[in-house]
Amino acid sequence: MSSQEAALLTPHVSQTDVPVEGILTEDKKKFKTCSQIGFYRRQKLLLQGPSPYHADLEMLVVDNGIATLQIINQDTKVPLQVQIISCKGIFRLKINEISPLKPRYEVPDVIVKDLAAERLNVSQRESGCIVLENPNGPYKLHITAQPFSVSVTADDKLLLSLNSQGLLYFESLVSPQSKSATLESDSEVTKDEYGLWSETFGEFVDIKASGPASVGLDVSLHGFEYVYGLPEHADTHRLKNTEHNDAYRLYNLDVFAYKTYDKMGTYGSVPLLLAHKPTQTCGLFWLNASETLVEINTRAAPQPSLSRSVPDTRKQRAIPQTEVRWMSESGIVDLFLLMGPSPQDVFRQYANLTGFQSLPPLFSLGYHQCRWNYEDEADVEAVDLGFDLNNIPYDVIWLDIEHTDGKRYFTWDREKFCNPTRMQEKLKQKKRKLVVISDPHIKVDPDYSLYSEAKARGYFVKDRGGQDFEGNCWPGTSCYLDFTNPAVQDWYSAQYALDSYKDSTEVLFVWNDMNEPSVFDSPEMTMPKNAVHYKGWEHRDLHNLYGFYQQMSTFKGLMQRSAGQERPFVLTRSFFAGSQRYGAVWTGDNKADWEYLKISVPMLLTLSVTGISFCGADVGGFVGDPEPELLIRWYQAGAFQPFFRAHAIQDSKRREPWLFGEDNTLLIKKVIEERYTLLPFWYLLFYRAHVSAQPVMRPMWVEFPKHTESFEEETQYMLGSALLVVPVLAPGVSSVDILFPGSGERWYDFRKYECVRGPHRKKVKVTLNEVPGKASP
């Protein structure tokens, strides 16, 4: 067989595989809308107005930098404890039950270290109001008693208000014998209507052992019109106003060929929102791992005042104001206010909380070649040789699920990959690497050692009856490792040791996929919310952490494999706040379509400003067959994005770079070579992300925070502070409109050495053989 014939092979699907019909389909009916989510419907019954919560300011205590007080719901008479902590430009607000029926879930492992609380002084005390002040900063917290609210000022200017709309919501835990307990906002609501104790979606019934436990809070951002963040959504970089039943959803799901310009959540969640105006940037970090919905409403509002006198509305000027409403299914209220004041200050404050981007190994910043699936060792060798014969640089070739023995991870299909060690040694001789997939579902097979050992140790997630939860995924019936258990994390990490993972070598790295987790025969194709984890926590409490924990365990395993001498590379599909500490993220199952190329830019910008700098989108689109122009433009965009990988689904045509004719091969080769020319620059950018939280890929507003025209720009972006990238995102384009911001800034075309002065917009001619790139001194 010739190498060319081998390169054109398509994967064989065995009869034991799970049928993909019905799994790999675009069907939004598989997933809930906001109106089908019980806790959202319940919280929406609470309307804007005076909050029922009143604070007992006489009982406020400030001890070791932590202010503690009680608030009481005047309708239910249930008291809650409020804690406020100040630390280096960050305020943390925690609200929890004083004596809950049982502990409520508080997210572990995401915050890298406890905040070193700074001093808080009571600087003012008057009837119904207390002012707390940190002597080291300009910020003051104004706590109002009736109704309870907290406002943050800087130099006597109001920046943020909490519960000013009266939407603080907290469902206290009650015993199953108290199912007659009613909602805070409506004594006539029944469980059948609003899912207090059970909830139905299609054929699935979610039985809630702890009953209703939802929490929510509103935050008003005064003077802020532009807000960003809350990945992952295939939507614009600037967050839009939400309509009724159209909130941004943070719930990690396996959404095949997701819809573009949609607020539905996809594979990962970072509950971080950034607000920006020319004089200030701040952030809201809502630390909650349960399903979360966020409503946003930006409008013109009278300039607020902390004066207790009635303002003269005739003299008040209107300013922008953004209302943000957070709603989560369970847990506690745990909100961090990141006060900036610059974008970089917010990035650093968030990284100090959740960790800095891991410094990638140099090879992982090169070009990656992947598809589902490279068929066998001969196929891998042929593709590897194809790069050499066409003189195209690349660093990594990938193997998807078909390389295993019947989807048993940490194994090899011995008919197709009879000598994996030799295959890896050949790659190593060329200083290339191999990445293999390792999903969290474990095939139910008593003869599969990974399954039998995990079962014997009790390492799988349980169902609500206490048995190992079983669901359907690629291997068929599977169990799911409980990565929330530290013992499971350590055991899983140990599987990557060279003497445990047979025929693996030091050039093998890892791809964690399907880790939302994906469960084909469960509600919304994920784990039922009433599954039970370590220490008895329900899956609903920690769903968005599952992929975070798998990637963390994999990262630690690869680190241990080299005794800490080599930096790991781990790609994950599912993620949460803090995932940046463990590797890279990509945007999942996109399509070979121009709109998916276009949406990849704002998706990656949003990931970048929420701490995840090592991110990318599948070049060419995972689903379908790109036309040559689309493929070339996608390579040109992907080469200037942090994670650079081409990937394709199993029934797509082969699309290695040399299969589209000589002229197109040369164009693809040129842009891959340009990636390698800039590799030292990429490495420097990642070092800066690693040590100082500077995003690698930056929206224009980050680099030019006072240039208002840049605040909505999402078709061009900066790499670091020096390189402006303007990818071509539509077919048949002969020119692109480029914003050159910065007063008196000089921009140089780094290919043609032409100089352009900012600020202004300019149409620049483009041809198929290049993407405009401008360097700023």
Side-chain angles (χ1 to χ4, degrees), residues 392-646:
I392 300 174
Y394 94 109
D395 267 279
V396 191
I397 193 165
W398 293 52
L399 293 178
D400 211 314
I401 53 178
E402 312 300 337
H403 84 277
T404 62
D405 176 13
K407 316 302 187 303
R408 298 169 179 85
Y409 303 106
F410 298 94
T411 70
W412 304 86
D413 182 329
R414 290 298 175 178
E415 292 185 5
K416 298 179 180 180
F417 296 90
C418 57
N419 197 336
T421 302
R422 182 180 61 191
M423 177 181 67
Q424 292 167 73
E425 286 299 324
K426 288 182 178 180
L427 292 171
K428 182 180 178 181
Q429 290 170 10
K430 300 179 181 180
K431 298 184 178 180
R432 290 170 179 160
K433 316 295 181 186
L434 177 71
V435 169
V436 299
I437 200 166
S438 185
D439 293 347
H441 49 261
I442 305 299
K443 182 179 178 67
V444 173
D445 177 1
D447 296 326
Y448 176 26
S449 61
L450 202 71
Y451 169 79
S452 58
E453 184 176 344
K455 184 173 181 62
R457 291 172 179 257
Y459 282 172
F460 291 125
V461 177
K462 308 300 180 186
D463 61 26
R464 58 187 297 266
Q467 302 302 308
D468 288 343
F469 168 75
E470 293 186 356
N472 198 28
C473 208
W474 296 128
T477 303
S478 304
C479 287
Y480 290 74
L481 290 169
D482 185 2
F483 289 105
T484 67
N485 183 342
V488 176
Q489 296 168 19
D490 292 342
W491 176 81
Y492 187 76
S493 297
Q495 304 307 312
Y496 290 102
L498 296 178
D499 58 353
S500 295
Y501 190 171
K502 301 303 181 185
D503 292 309
S504 68
T505 73
E506 69 276 7
V507 302
L508 180 148
F509 295 89
V510 183
W511 168 21
N512 292 149
D513 198 3
M514 311 296 286
N515 54 347
E516 295 74 28
S518 181
V519 186
F520 294 158
D521 55 350
S522 285
E524 299 196 273
M525 288 182 59
T526 194
M527 187 170 287
K529 289 182 174 181
N530 55 21
V532 180
H533 288 264
Y534 177 63
K535 291 188 175 180
W537 294 112
E538 281 194 305
H539 186 71
R540 78 180 73 253
D541 298 316
L542 51 84
H543 171 83
N544 288 341
L545 280 174
Y546 189 86
F548 165 89
Y549 276 125
Q550 188 196 14
Q551 188 189 25
M552 180 181 78
S553 304
T554 302
F555 181 92
K556 289 180 178 178
L558 294 182
M559 185 70 80
Q560 292 165 6
R561 186 183 71 179
S562 70
Q565 296 302 302
E566 295 184 10
R567 281 170 276 146
F569 170 76
V570 185
L571 179 73
T572 183
R573 188 170 74 176
S574 184
F575 55 88
F576 191 67
S579 289
Q580 67 270 10
R581 306 198 300 262
Y582 304 119
V585 163
W586 94 107
T587 61
D589 296 346
N590 58 2
K591 295 170 66 175
D593 189 284
W594 286 96
E595 68 176 9
Y596 285 82
L597 169 58
K598 184 177 181 180
I599 203 66
S600 70
V601 177
M603 290 182 75
L604 298 179
L605 291 175
T606 297
L607 285 167
S608 297
V609 300
T610 53
I612 301 177
S613 272
F614 202 5
C615 56
D618 285 340
V619 170
F622 177 64
V623 182
D625 298 305
E627 60 191 74
E629 183 188 5
L630 173 58
L631 185 65
I632 291 165
R633 290 304 192 196
W634 214 317
Y635 268 100
Q636 291 169 343
F640 289 91
Q641 294 167 352
F643 176 56
F644 185 26
R645 179 185 78 157

Side-chain angles (χ1 to χ4, degrees), residues 45-47 49-54 71-79 147 166 168-170 172 182-187:
L45 295 173
L46 179 62
L47 304 178
S51 174
Y53 285 97
H54 290 185
I71 59 175
I72 300 175
N73 187 308
Q74 298 303 298
D75 298 330
T76 65
K77 305 305 179 184
V78 174
L168 171 60
Y169 189 97
F170 206 103
S172 299
T182 56
L183 293 170
E184 298 181 25
S185 52
D186 190 337
S187 61

Side-chain angles (χ1 to χ4, degrees), residues 169-440:
Y169 189 97
F170 206 103
E171 292 177 333
S172 299
L173 299 178
V174 296
S175 66
Q177 290 74 31
S178 305
K179 289 187 178 182
S180 59
T182 56
L183 293 170
E184 298 181 25
S185 52
D186 190 337
S187 61
E188 300 303 319
V189 174
T190 68
K191 65 177 182 179
D192 295 326
E193 294 177 282
Y194 290 92
L196 291 167
W197 292 89
S198 67
E199 197 166 343
T200 301
F201 178 63
E203 63 188 65
F204 303 105
V205 179
D206 174 19
I207 305 297
K208 304 179 182 183
S210 298
S214 178
V215 298
L217 181 66
D218 64 272
V219 182
S220 298
L221 299 157
H222 304 290
F224 291 93
E225 185 178 358
Y226 296 91
V227 288
Y228 312 93
L230 302 181
E232 185 177 41
H233 304 89
D235 207 353
T236 56
H237 178 51
R238 180 191 178 189
L239 297 173
K240 304 172 185 174
N241 280 359
T242 56
E243 305 295 334
H244 186 62
N245 292 330
D246 188 34
Y248 285 97
R249 190 181 187 199
L250 297 175
Y251 190 62
N252 299 353
L253 293 169
D254 178 359
V255 187
F256 178 77
Y258 44 82
K259 183 181 177 182
T260 59
Y261 300 102
D262 193 82
K263 298 182 183 69
M264 177 182 177
T266 54
Y267 308 98
S269 301
V270 181
L272 172 65
L273 179 143
L274 298 99
H276 178 70
K277 59 184 177 180
T279 58
Q280 178 99 28
T281 307
C282 62
L284 307 175
F285 175 40
W286 177 264
L287 184 55
N288 192 300
S290 69
E291 180 177 4
T292 297
L293 297 165
V294 186
E295 291 189 330
I296 294 168
N297 180 29
T298 300
R299 57 187 176 87
Q303 187 167 15
S305 171
L306 287 172
S307 172
R308 308 192 78 178
S309 61
V310 178
D312 185 348
T313 56
R314 295 172 300 176
K315 296 181 179 180
Q316 285 183 297
R317 67 185 183 94
I319 64 168
Q321 180 168 304
T322 297
E323 308 289 352
V324 182
R325 185 176 186 180
W326 302 88
M327 294 168 276
S328 292
E329 183 173 11
S330 65
I332 67 169
V333 171
D334 195 355
L335 177 65
F336 295 81
L337 309 178
L338 314 178
M339 300 311 301
S342 72
Q344 183 54 43
D345 289 329
V346 173
F347 300 145
R348 188 179 298 108
Q349 289 158 0
Y350 177 70
N352 284 334
L353 290 174
T354 66
F356 291 75
Q357 174 68 58
S358 60
L359 182 61
L362 183 60
F363 77 82
S364 66
L365 301 183
Y367 173 63
H368 300 246
Q369 185 67 41
C370 183
R371 75 172 281 114
W372 176 20
N373 200 84
Y374 285 120
E375 180 71 10
D376 50 27
E377 288 181 17
D379 197 1
V380 170
E381 186 173 347
V383 173
D384 181 70
L385 180 62
F387 280 93
D388 295 335
L389 294 176
N390 289 279
N391 200 25
I392 300 174
Y394 94 109
D395 267 279
V396 191
I397 193 165
W398 293 52
L399 293 178
D400 211 314
I401 53 178
E402 312 300 337
H403 84 277
T404 62
D405 176 13
K407 316 302 187 303
R408 298 169 179 85
Y409 303 106
F410 298 94
T411 70
W412 304 86
D413 182 329
R414 290 298 175 178
E415 292 185 5
K416 298 179 180 180
F417 296 90
C418 57
N419 197 336
T421 302
R422 182 180 61 191
M423 177 181 67
Q424 292 167 73
E425 286 299 324
K426 288 182 178 180
L427 292 171
K428 182 180 178 181
Q429 290 170 10
K430 300 179 181 180
K431 298 184 178 180
R432 290 170 179 160
K433 316 295 181 186
L434 177 71
V435 169
V436 299
I437 200 166
S438 185
D439 293 347

Side-chain angles (χ1 to χ4, degrees), residues 643-745:
F643 176 56
F644 185 26
R645 179 185 78 157
H647 187 32
I649 196 170
Q650 64 179 170
D651 62 354
S652 65
K653 298 176 183 177
R654 294 294 286 253
R655 59 169 93 147
E656 285 73 35
W658 52 88
L659 297 179
F660 294 83
E662 183 177 354
D663 291 344
N664 293 328
T665 297
L666 291 175
L667 292 177
I668 295 172
K669 174 185 175 182
K670 176 184 175 181
V671 73
I672 295 176
E673 289 175 337
E674 200 160 56
R675 170 72 172 213
Y676 280 88
T677 299
L678 292 173
L679 209 55
F681 177 60
W682 282 106
Y683 203 45
L684 174 63
L685 294 182
F686 272 99
Y687 174 76
R688 289 175 174 167
H690 177 60
V691 299
S692 61
Q694 298 178 33
V696 171
M697 181 177 175
R698 306 175 189 175
M700 302 302 293
W701 66 266
V702 167
E703 202 59 36
F704 299 93
K706 297 184 183 301
H707 191 103
T708 55
E709 194 176 353
S710 71
F711 293 179
E712 283 196 271
E713 183 57 65
E714 63 176 28
T715 59
Q716 63 182 65
Y717 54 89
M718 299 292 297
L719 292 179
S721 61
L723 190 59
L724 170 62
V725 179
V726 190
V728 177
L729 305 173
V733 170
S734 59
S735 66
V736 291
D737 186 44
I738 302 178
L739 171 65
F740 294 97
S743 179
E745 196 90 12

